Amino acid sequence: MHELEARGLQMKFGGVTAIAGLDLTVEEGEIRGLIGPNGAGKTTFFNACSGRYPVTAGEIRYRGQKISGMKPHQIAAEGLVRTFQHVTLFKQFSVLKNVVAGNYLHSRHSYWGSLLRTRKTREAEAGSVARAREILDFVGLGALMDQQASTLAHGHQKMLGIAIALAAEPKMLLLDEPCAGMNSDESREMIHLVRRIRETGITIMLIEHDMKVVMGLCDRITVLNFGNEIADGTPEAVRANAQVREAYLGSQAHVA
Amino acid sequence: MDKSDIIARPNRLVWGGLLALALVAPALVGFDLYMIHVGITISFNVALATSLWMIWSLGVISFAHAGFMGIGAYASALVLTKLGLSMWYGLWIGAAVSALFAMLIAVPLMRTRAVYFFMASWAVGEVIKRNFAYFKDFFGGWDGVFDIKPPVLDLGFLQIDFANRIAYYYLALFFVSLTVWIIYRMNASRTGTIWWAIHENELLAQHTGINVFRQKVVCFTIACTLVGVIGALYAHYQTYISPKSFDIWKSEFALVHLIVGGLTTVGGPVAGAISLTMVDEALRATGYFRTIFFGVVLIASVLLLPGGLETVPARIRKLFNRNSQK
Amino acid sequence: MSDFLQMGLTGLSLGLMYALIAIGLTLIFGVMRIIQYAHGEMFMLGAFALYYWHAELGLPYWAGVAFSAGLIFCLGAVLQVVLFKPLQGKNILYSLAVSLGLVLIISGSGQLLFGTTTKGIPSAVSGGMLIGGAYLSYERIVISAVSIGLIIALWAFLRHSVTGFAIRAVAEDPQTAALQGIRTDRIHWIAFGIGSAMAAIAGCMMGTLLSIVPTMGFLATIKAFMIVIMGGLGSVIGALVGGLILGMIDSVITTTISGDIAIILSFVVIFLILVFRPSGLFGQNWD
Amino acid sequence: MRKTSPPLLMNRRRLLTTGAVALAAPALLPRSAFSQTHKTIKIGGAVPLSGPVAYWGHSTAQGFTDGAAVINAAGGVMINGEPHMLEVIDYDTKGEVADSRAATLRLVEQDKVKYVYSQAAASTVGMLQVTEPAGVLSIVACWGYLELFGKDYPLHFRAEMSDYEQGFAYLPFMQEKYGKDALKTAAFIGPNDQDGTDCHASYKRLMDYYGITQKSAEFYNWEDTDFYPIVAKTISDRPDFIVTSPSPPGITASIVKAARELGYTGPISSPAASETTTILEVAGEHADGVVLPVTNVSPSTDTQKAIEKRFMDRFGTFNALAGNYSWWIYSLKAAWEMAGTAEDTKAVAEALAQVQLDDTYVGHVKWGGEKSFGVARQGIYDCYTTTIDKGVAQVEDVRFPALPDDY
């Protein structure tokens, strides 16, 4: 049974068709790339999977269960968590509190517990803080724990976004342009991190424009253009595919 | 933890000091009944401002706040005048009724955001007030409800008649401290983290698994229940309530106390409510100029003290450090 | 039959007057996103400016309206620069708190300066005519004409004039507008001045039709906010339609059932619009 | 991990509250703590000086301020041969019940005042909750809410007549002027708050007594600007005459103008509109058929002229209401001198009930109403009724209200 499966997925906003009939499957433990020119429908697909926008037609199944009708918080509870293209953080919070907030699903919370500070609540909160420290060390932000999120450098803010997603203990992670706006050694660091995340057993699907990152990381790549899938396969097969080159470079596809 | 937590962490010395000062205050002012009345008014305003701050932790301001205080007040008043049940029952009935209405109204209200929420809550407050005025036979219309007797606490060996103002001062102080403690405790815990996460970035909060809609409804309901209880206390203290006691000006002054006090910690509304209630009472002797002076104080504190009274200690600490470094 | 016609005519002229108050607010609240609670006070000051100009000094009526509009334009501009400019970029609640302070100061000092007795401004036009049993005074016709004229003028100003375009650009995105060379600070106080001047003119019109008292600003603010929300933030046509709806509700419901119901009903309508269609009838959604 | 703050640093919260208390304390201290040369009698005022009913609040305060100055200039109040000076302290109540209660608490508990005056229903209701239990004598102008408060208020005096008592002066006059059978039905328009409901209660009792059937009763919002809809509804079932109360001159003018424009020709009576200039200004040529009870716009006797002149010099404004309230302080003076004490409010109250004055702004004044209220606490005086016909305002009638004998 596939980890993530889209069948006949359609996404329409008013007259605009962002995704026109997409069939796609992702297997467990895979690092899947999703590439295509701007406006191809990549982020729209992520928005559909995460429940941010309602699905116009077709179906999305995660581990066999239909999630295309669910609300974002229910989908996150199923283990499918996403990050965002633009930096989205809890700006006023400290780095540590950002990740603690992200850990909501896995720390018991009750209003009475919060009020009376019962032992269970204190333990849950301590456990949450400990888990957050672990994740921050894993991601490499251990030293910046007490800094306010808004004061971090761009690269670190992207890393924090991933840390927050990891705090939700996902089984599958949708990374939306993790290396956008990063220089080469920051990208190299990100590649290394994604590999280490996959080793913990989390399936990954990522949208990325930096071909070096995509080719280096992904086991399989799907290419979208104007909401349709035009290619699917190993990185080498996709690079050689004429249609992909044409979609990216426009009509002068024959340029070497 | 983070910036807001450091300030919010129980600085026991400060909160203990304030509570001690409040407990001793009647003796300090030589049991001057008028000053004790000012003390009771301060307690009500503190509770009103802090419960409004609780809603602000979601990122929105509710202008229906005085309306829900009215619901609590009318519920406990009518329970007394019509069914003869004393305030000890009226408090809980008032709390339950405003909680019920808060939940019913929160479901549609929470679909709105930022300024739209603000305007929608204003409309809710107006509808609540004008329904008190319209249903003459049940709510007493614009005449309001008369002689809401304060209760008598009968502990067998001790009878406390709360018509005595000093007794009522301590009763009000107890309920207000309870309210501030509840709000402070909820904020300093995981619940506070959830609500402030919704405040900071609702989209991200939803995608990390927080059911934002349910959290908003729960927070709104708790805040309105707390203000309902204060409404019941207010009714039994004033012994007379009318729709005009819960009009928009009360919500506006609660907001003003919040803004002048400071928006980031629970210390803000407490400081704002205490200082501005004193200023308003002190200006009473200035007759015509009262509203004018209050307007000037309001504008001056917003413009000259961005961030509100709660930033004063941080500013002094900075000043203090700068002097010591020189 | 004449009762219905009377209700209709009253509702129409009432609606246009309410729209006149609201279009100023459309500019300040809808476009510049400042919660100007003291909009009603500008309305009141405009009325009193005309009262002292026309009734006390006996100077010509229409010159008085222009004088009052100019005076309140300057007041609005000064207020924006002194009070609201430091709050730019800050949370919108701060602009609410400052404008609340303004309400207290202006209405309080209004009672001191103008005294508490109600005053009336003799109107430039008198008499009226009967249409099928319903009475319509020339005064109301003139005022309705002025309202329509001003609404169209503001609509045209915002749509076609350079400054109007600049105001809408600054409201849309201040940073990008600044990059295009628009002096945003200047636009802010111009927009604020025009909005306040509109309220002043509405004050003059309403002042001649009815009596004026320093505390009349409060209800005008409430009506203006209701209309701007109903019509849609930032939309001039929305203010016109919102004003007419509110005018009709006030006229018809008050005449048939009772005043209290009319007000409760209009607030319920406001609530439903905000919950199910936040951008109002014509406005664009803010966020 | 948190940097240890220097110990001597003032704790955040204590600094805040001590600073605030230091700032506010002097203003809260009782005023009487200051200079105390000779015996004084303090009179407190819990009156609306801001808000929609400020118009009446100011007139009341002017009556007391002027009266105190005149009495002090003439050597003060002689009690057992000892002169007592008068000191008037008034606090604004914003026309709200809770604020009025707070103001009265300050007057009674801090300024130790034994005599309080108030104005308008909301402020009076707030004040009464404090004065009666504290044994403080109160004198107010308010319209007919006594039914809500019942009879057990021995120290409470209502110096101004409600629509009910005034009716026994202006209704007979209107019946003479327009004819008895021309005034078979009446309608009511008033504000939607305590004042409005009070006046409506008195209006209803009056009409029931005279057997006049009552048509619609409409209530407007204080800040309402357009009266067309309400007037259209009121005149839709053709009442013979309209009573609007308590409506200040401006609102009365708007109602008259709307009624005339909508074709209504019956007389309109407004017991609380106390001056005609605004009505003439606002209603213009529509100002016709207007009856203003208890309003003396052209002071005729020398005392009335003297009062008008003094008010103009002292306050710059004068209206008939301020004149109507100006006799209150003199009746208190007579009561103190008669009772020989200013401390024992019960004795002063009994004395006040017997006081009768003659040369006041409202002519002959006496207190009545023992049968209705258990104590003669209702001020009754000559009623000057001003009418406006075809833009001409004149005092058309003066008569003492012919109250029913069981009153």
Side-chain angles (χ1 to χ4, degrees):
Chain A
M1 174 261 284
H2 307 293
E3 179 81 3
L4 179 71
E5 189 186 355
R7 261 208 242 107
L9 176 67
Q10 280 187 4
M11 292 291 283
K12 284 197 176 64
F13 298 102
V16 174
T17 312
I19 294 178
L22 178 65
D23 293 308
L24 179 139
T25 60
V26 179
E27 302 321 322
E28 195 181 351
E30 191 186 3
I31 295 186
R32 183 56 163 282
L34 186 63
I35 61 171
N38 284 335
K42 308 191 291 295
T43 302
T44 310
F45 175 70
F46 270 21
N47 287 336
C49 293
S50 71
R52 185 175 176 189
Y53 296 136
V55 168
T56 315
E59 208 183 59
I60 303 175
R61 286 185 171 282
Y62 178 65
R63 291 189 167 212
Q65 194 192 1
K66 181 173 187 297
I67 59 165
S68 36
M70 281 188 184
K71 291 217 165 34
H73 65 270
Q74 290 161 324
I75 295 174
E78 293 299 323
L80 179 61
V81 177
R82 62 163 301 173
T83 62
F84 291 88
Q85 190 176 3
H86 308 292
V87 169
T88 8
L89 303 170
F90 302 124
K91 291 196 182 61
Q92 301 294 328
F93 283 6
S94 70
V95 169
L96 182 64
K97 191 166 182 185
N98 264 274
V99 183
V100 165
N103 190 248
Y104 166 77
L105 283 172
H106 296 280
S107 111
R108 227 185 50 71
H109 161 250
S110 83
Y111 297 104
W112 282 112
S114 306
L115 183 61
L116 308 174
R117 291 205 73 67
T118 54
R119 200 172 37 73
K120 277 208 267 343
T121 310
R122 276 204 305 279
E123 273 161 19
E125 283 181 8
S128 205
V129 169
R131 180 69 185 122
R133 286 186 202 284
E134 258 172 56
I135 293 172
L136 282 168
D137 293 336
F138 176 80
V139 162
L141 293 175
L144 306 165
M145 254 174 240
D146 290 327
Q147 275 204 348
Q148 203 181 27
S150 52
T151 60
L152 295 182
H154 177 73
H156 289 150
Q157 286 190 340
K158 281 285 208 184
M159 290 287 190
L160 181 56
I162 293 174
I164 294 172
L166 287 176
E169 314 296 2
K171 304 194 194 74
M172 177 169 179
L173 196 55
L174 303 175
L175 297 176
D176 198 336
E177 295 194 26
C179 299
M182 282 194 176
N183 52 44
S184 52
D185 31 1
E186 277 174 339
S187 299
R188 209 174 301 111
E189 224 181 286
M190 180 59 81
I191 293 170
H192 186 52
L193 172 65
V194 173
R195 282 214 183 88
R196 281 198 286 117
I197 291 173
R198 196 254 291 264
E199 271 141 31
T200 64
I202 297 174
T203 316
I204 291 171
M205 185 170 192
L206 61 92
I207 296 172
E208 191 41 68
H209 283 290
D210 181 338
M211 282 311 140
K212 254 196 326 358
V213 171
V214 171
M215 295 307 167
L217 254 180
C218 300
D219 310 335
R220 241 169 83 204
I221 297 173
T222 307
V223 185
L224 287 187
N225 193 19
F226 294 109
N228 294 310
E229 183 194 292
I230 57 171
D232 185 300
T234 62
E236 293 67 27
V238 162
R239 183 186 293 134
N241 181 316
Q243 258 184 327
V244 169
R245 247 216 287 291
E246 185 189 308
Y248 262 94
L249 308 174
S251 56
Q252 330 86 10
H254 58 276
V255 168
Chain B
M1 295 289 265
D2 79 315
K3 183 171 75 62
S4 72
D5 256 9
I6 289 169
I7 296 176
R9 180 188 294 148
N11 186 333
R12 301 233 184 289
L13 216 59
V14 173
W15 289 108
L18 181 63
L19 189 61
L21 188 69
L23 284 169
V24 165
L28 280 180
V29 295
F31 298 99
D32 175 330
L33 285 173
Y34 167 68
M35 297 287 268
I36 293 174
H37 163 76
V38 173
I40 295 176
T41 319
I42 286 178
S43 320
F44 290 143
N45 289 343
V46 164
L48 205 57
T50 33
S51 48
L52 186 63
W53 179 75
M54 190 180 196
I55 298 177
W56 168 247
S57 64
L58 291 173
V60 283
I61 283 287
S62 160
F63 249 21
H65 216 46
F68 283 102
M69 182 179 177
I71 291 178
Y74 267 88
S76 77
L78 294 176
V79 149
L80 178 68
T81 49
K82 291 209 158 59
L83 307 175
L85 294 171
S86 85
M87 187 178 90
W88 307 123
Y89 305 95
L91 273 181
W92 310 123
I93 294 170
V97 170
S98 39
L100 181 71
F101 274 98
M103 233 181 281
L104 289 177
I105 288 169
V107 172
L109 187 61
M110 285 307 169
R111 286 168 54 98
T112 58
R113 234 174 293 296
V115 179
Y116 300 114
F117 178 92
F118 178 74
M119 293 293 165
S121 64
W122 163 55
V124 167
E126 285 294 323
V127 169
I128 292 174
K129 178 190 93 169
R130 288 174 195 279
N131 276 327
F132 291 150
Y134 184 68
F135 296 106
K136 230 168 158 22
D137 35 25
F138 189 68
F139 288 115
W142 287 105
D143 278 347
V145 180
F146 282 90
D147 48 48
I148 309 160
K149 294 263 176 309
V152 176
L153 183 62
D154 187 347
L155 300 172
F157 61 93
L158 179 71
Q159 262 89 12
I160 309 172
D161 175 0
F162 281 101
N164 167 332
R165 185 147 332 134
I166 299 166
Y168 211 95
Y169 171 81
Y170 285 107
L171 180 70
L173 185 63
F174 168 73
F175 273 100
V176 172
S177 319
L178 189 67
T179 311
V180 174
W181 178 75
I182 290 173
I183 293 171
Y184 170 74
R185 249 313 179 37
M186 295 290 256
N187 173 63
S189 70
R190 155 73 66 190
T191 320
T193 312
I194 295 169
W195 289 341
W196 280 94
I198 295 173
H199 180 139
E200 283 300 317
N201 189 327
E202 193 165 319
L203 181 69
L204 183 57
Q206 201 171 20
H207 282 79
T208 55
I210 296 174
N211 182 340
V212 168
F213 185 76
R214 199 170 63 83
Q215 291 295 342
K216 282 185 171 183
V217 170
V218 167
C219 175
F220 187 78
T221 308
I222 295 175
C224 292
T225 314
L226 291 174
V227 95
V229 170
I230 297 302
L233 276 165
Y234 175 84
H236 286 269
Y237 173 64
Q238 297 287 359
T239 69
Y240 166 83
I241 53 171
S242 78
K244 279 213 157 63
S245 338
F246 307 106
D247 65 5
I248 196 159
W249 282 106
K250 218 173 218 355
S251 302
E252 278 166 2
F253 276 114
L255 175 65
V256 157
H257 294 163
L258 188 54
I259 288 177
V260 169
L263 290 163
T264 43
T265 69
V266 78
V270 172
I274 292 174
S275 34
L276 280 184
T277 314
M278 280 189 180
V279 164
D280 188 45
E281 218 43 61
L283 291 176
R284 181 180 296 286
T286 53
Y288 314 116
F289 302 102
R290 189 173 173 207
T291 38
I292 300 169
F293 282 155
F294 195 79
V296 170
V297 164
L298 171 56
I299 290 183
S301 41
V302 171
L303 290 183
L304 304 179
L305 195 62
L309 287 173
E310 68 185 5
T311 55
V312 165
R315 290 165 194 267
I316 289 175
R317 211 173 290 143
K318 220 186 292 130
L319 199 69
F320 189 75
N321 298 349
R322 205 178 304 130
N323 293 355
S324 57
Q325 269 132 22
K326 249 207 247 22
Chain C
M1 211 307 280
S2 77
D3 285 355
F4 284 107
L5 190 60
Q6 186 60 58
M7 268 196 275
L9 287 175
T10 318
L12 184 66
S13 64
L14 198 58
L16 283 171
M17 266 190 286
Y18 286 155
L20 194 55
I21 308 172
I23 48 173
L25 192 66
T26 309
L27 209 53
I28 296 174
F29 176 44
V31 176
M32 308 312 295
R33 287 185 180 67
I34 294 174
I35 299 184
Q36 166 57 315
Y37 241 68
H39 190 67
E41 310 317 306
M42 300 297 153
F43 167 82
M44 179 269 286
L45 289 176
F48 273 93
L50 178 65
Y51 171 77
Y52 283 103
W53 173 278
H54 182 57
E56 294 284 323
L57 305 175
L59 297 166
Y61 178 82
W62 292 106
V65 173
F67 161 74
S68 139
L71 183 72
I72 305 300
F73 175 89
C74 304
L75 177 65
V78 164
L79 285 179
Q80 199 279 333
V81 169
V82 170
L83 294 180
F84 291 103
K85 188 154 169 291
L87 299 177
Q88 259 152 15
K90 277 235 183 92
N91 185 316
I92 198 163
L93 289 178
Y94 289 108
S95 73
L96 174 95
V98 165
S99 60
L100 252 177
L102 262 180
V103 168
L104 295 174
I105 294 175
I106 298 178
S107 69
S109 37
Q111 285 197 323
L112 280 179
L113 301 173
F114 311 132
T116 54
T117 52
T118 45
K119 298 182 173 54
I121 306 173
S123 62
V125 173
S126 62
M129 60 179 180
L130 282 167
I131 311 167
Y135 179 85
L136 186 61
S137 71
Y138 294 135
E139 219 178 350
R140 279 186 182 247
I141 299 170
V142 163
I143 286 165
S144 309
V146 168
S147 313
I148 297 173
L150 275 174
I151 291 170
I152 293 170
L154 181 68
W155 181 79
F157 169 76
L158 281 179
R159 275 286 180 290
H160 303 299
S161 83
V162 176
T163 350
F165 212 71
I167 290 176
R168 279 171 54 229
V170 167
E172 201 64 37
D173 185 345
Q175 285 79 14
T176 341
L179 291 174
Q180 310 300 330
I182 297 174
R183 303 219 317 275
T184 49
D185 288 345
R186 209 166 63 82
I187 291 296
H188 273 298
W189 63 257
I190 288 177
F192 212 95
I194 294 172
S196 307
M198 290 281 173
I201 297 171
C204 300
M205 296 300 121
M206 293 281 254
T208 38
L209 201 62
L210 315 152
S211 62
I212 56 174
V213 75
T215 53
M216 74 192 215
F218 189 64
L219 193 74
T221 309
I222 290 179
K223 295 261 193 241
F225 270 101
M226 284 163 93
I227 292 162
V228 166
I229 297 166
M230 246 193 242
L233 302 178
S235 141
V236 173
I237 306 151
L240 174 64
V241 171
L244 289 176
I245 292 174
L246 203 61
M248 277 304 167
I249 289 181
D250 273 3
S251 164
V252 171
I253 306 282
T254 312
T255 319
T256 49
I257 310 169
S258 92
D260 285 341
I261 292 277
I263 296 177
I264 294 180
L265 195 70
S266 33
F267 276 116
V268 169
V269 165
I270 290 270
F271 181 76
L272 295 177
I273 286 180
L274 283 168
V275 169
F276 297 109
R277 192 175 155 74
S279 59
L281 304 178
F282 297 94
Q284 352 83 339
N285 207 324
W286 255 13
D287 32 15
Chain D
M1 181 171 48
R2 180 168 166 276
K3 159 168 77 49
T4 51
S5 64
L8 54 89
L9 166 75
M10 271 290 280
N11 292 85
R12 184 166 60 79
R13 193 58 58 235
R14 204 166 316 123
L15 170 99
L16 209 63
T17 34
T18 38
V21 168
L23 162 84
L28 290 179
L29 277 178
R31 273 204 241 183
S32 60
F34 302 125
S35 70
Q36 187 70 303
T37 52
H38 44 67
K39 271 214 170 19
T40 54
I41 307 173
K42 284 205 286 280
I43 307 172
V47 270
L49 300 172
S50 59
V53 283
Y55 167 67
W56 293 308
H58 283 289
S59 316
T60 324
Q62 284 167 2
F64 274 85
T65 321
D66 174 74
V70 167
I71 294 172
N72 286 347
V77 178
M78 298 305 288
I79 298 177
N80 310 351
E82 222 196 324
H84 289 61
M85 287 299 143
L86 295 180
E87 184 194 345
V88 178
I89 316 165
D90 42 36
Y91 293 140
D92 173 28
T93 65
K94 293 195 251 185
E96 285 161 12
V97 177
D99 215 54
S100 165
R101 184 167 181 272
T104 317
L105 280 177
R106 183 167 183 177
L107 286 169
V108 170
E109 287 160 0
Q110 201 167 70
D111 299 325
K112 299 286 185 276
V113 153
K114 284 232 175 298
Y115 304 89
V116 175
Y117 66 89
S118 182
Q119 168 64 253
S123 307
T124 303
V125 165
M127 173 210 74
L128 254 182
Q129 290 165 22
V130 177
T131 52
E132 214 50 42
V136 166
L137 188 142
S138 56
I139 186 165
V140 301
C142 188
W143 303 280
Y145 64 90
L146 278 185
E147 290 66 33
L148 303 172
F149 268 75
K151 292 196 170 55
D152 43 13
Y153 284 79
L155 294 174
H156 178 58
F157 286 79
R158 194 170 61 181
E160 198 204 338
M161 291 185 282
S162 78
D163 290 18
Y164 178 65
E165 289 83 14
Q166 292 173 12
F168 291 97
Y170 78 82
L171 256 183
F173 157 69
M174 283 173 77
Q175 284 173 343
E176 281 157 23
K177 181 173 183 184
Y178 298 98
K180 209 166 177 18
D181 39 28
L183 303 173
K184 280 277 166 281
T185 60
F188 179 85
I189 301 178
N192 64 0
D193 66 352
Q194 278 101 5
D195 294 311
T197 33
D198 285 345
C199 294
H200 184 237
S202 315
Y203 152 83
K204 230 145 70 55
R205 274 175 66 203
L206 180 69
M207 296 306 154
D208 294 344
Y209 184 85
Y210 274 87
I212 297 174
T213 49
Q214 290 137 47
K215 296 265 175 105
S216 73
E218 287 304 313
F219 295 92
Y220 57 80
N221 197 317
W222 263 119
E223 300 90 357
D224 250 344
T225 42
D226 190 347
F227 290 89
Y228 257 62
I230 282 190
V231 170
K233 175 131 196 318
T234 312
I235 61 175
S236 55
D237 47 16
R238 298 280 164 260
D240 288 346
F241 69 105
I242 298 176
V243 175
T244 174
S245 170
S247 303
I251 292 183
T252 308
S254 309
I255 291 173
V256 165
K257 183 175 181 185
R260 296 301 177 238
E261 283 187 352
L262 294 172
Y264 178 73
T265 52
I268 298 172
S269 148
S270 173
S274 61
E275 40 101 2
T276 53
T277 36
T278 317
I279 297 175
L280 294 173
E281 244 174 49
V282 171
E285 83 276 8
H286 295 299
D288 176 37
V290 181
V291 175
L292 304 177
V294 193
T295 306
N296 177 359
V297 283
S298 53
S300 46
T301 68
D302 355 356
T303 27
Q304 288 170 346
K305 289 202 181 74
I307 289 174
E308 184 186 23
K309 187 175 167 308
R310 243 197 352 258
F311 272 63
M312 286 306 278
D313 308 343
R314 206 186 294 277
F315 308 109
T317 68
F318 176 73
N319 65 56
L321 263 186
N324 291 359
Y325 302 150
S326 59
W327 62 271
W328 296 6
I329 193 164
Y330 296 99
S331 70
L332 274 175
K333 173 174 183 291
W336 286 324
E337 280 158 356
M338 197 191 294
T341 163
E343 291 313 313
D344 172 0
T345 50
K346 275 230 172 346
V348 172
E350 273 128 26
L352 184 59
Q354 271 90 41
V355 164
Q356 298 210 9
L357 299 170
D358 275 305
D359 61 350
T360 70
Y361 188 79
V362 284
H364 175 63
V365 177
K366 79 177 180 68
W367 297 87
E370 288 96 336
K371 298 194 191 67
S372 310
F373 309 112
V375 70
R377 59 140 155 274
Q378 173 59 60
I380 305 163
Y381 41 80
D382 291 332
C383 290
Y384 290 73
T385 306
T386 304
T387 57
I388 303 178
D389 291 319
K390 308 261 175 320
V392 171
Q394 50 161 346
V395 178
E396 216 178 311
D397 174 71
V398 179
R399 74 179 67 201
F400 200 81
L403 287 163
D405 33 32
D406 68 350
Y407 182 77

